[in-house]
Amino acid sequence: MISWFSVILRRDLVRAIREKSQWMLPLFFFVLCIALFPIAIDPSPKFLQQIAGGVIWVSVLLSVMINLQQVFAGDHAEGTLDALVLAPKPLTVTVLAKSASHWIASCLPIVLLSPALASALHLPTHIILPLTLS
């Protein structure tokens, strides 16, 4: 099972590296959303401190949702989705591997960038680490 998991994970990560839009689009959307939010609302540091946690969470959720349809779309377009479903391996392992590759390719760059953007929204430093870990 572990070898099947690693094969699917590696395959999807290689595909994500080749198709840069799979991880760049959510990252750019996240940065753009955080950058435009102070312009749309009050840009004062006091106000941004109060709402920064919620703004970051909503921005992360929206940016992750952008690429969610791509988890199985490539396999469906190639015709390999049927082969994955009919493979003698457990389907749950396949889905877990595809979910892990989606998280590594799309969510991990956002998580790594979120502390810098949180400090740009004047979030106190003692809150940035718990926000990033959550």
Side-chain angles (χ1 to χ4, degrees):
M1 298 308 152
I2 294 174
S3 64
W4 179 253
F5 181 88
S6 64
V7 165
I8 299 295
L9 180 70
R10 184 178 36 206
R11 181 178 150 270
D12 284 354
L13 287 177
V14 167
R15 180 183 288 164
I17 291 170
R18 287 184 188 148
E19 299 173 12
K20 292 186 181 8
S21 66
Q22 195 170 9
W23 61 272
M24 296 279 285
L25 182 64
L27 190 64
F28 283 143
F29 181 82
F30 177 64
V31 171
L32 189 65
C33 190
I34 297 294
L36 290 178
F37 202 86
I39 296 171
I41 309 289
D42 185 17
S44 69
K46 180 81 171 158
F47 181 71
L48 288 176
Q49 271 184 348
Q50 294 174 347
I51 63 169
V55 168
I56 290 173
W57 258 105
V58 168
S59 300
V60 166
L61 291 175
L62 288 175
S63 60
V64 169
M65 294 287 290
I66 287 175
N67 245 9
L68 201 52
Q69 69 177 355
Q70 297 298 326
V71 175
F72 293 103
D75 291 329
H76 180 67
E78 293 174 356
T80 57
L81 186 60
D82 295 331
L84 288 173
V85 170
L86 295 174
K89 308 293 183 187
L91 191 58
T92 55
V93 175
T94 304
V95 172
L96 283 174
K98 293 185 84 48
S99 298
S101 69
H102 170 70
W103 189 88
I104 292 169
S106 296
C107 302
L108 188 60
I110 292 171
V111 169
L112 295 176
L113 191 60
S114 64
L117 293 175
S119 65
L121 291 177
H122 305 287
L123 198 65
T125 54
H126 68 279
I127 298 176
I128 291 176
L129 181 63
L131 180 73
T132 303
L133 291 176
S134 67

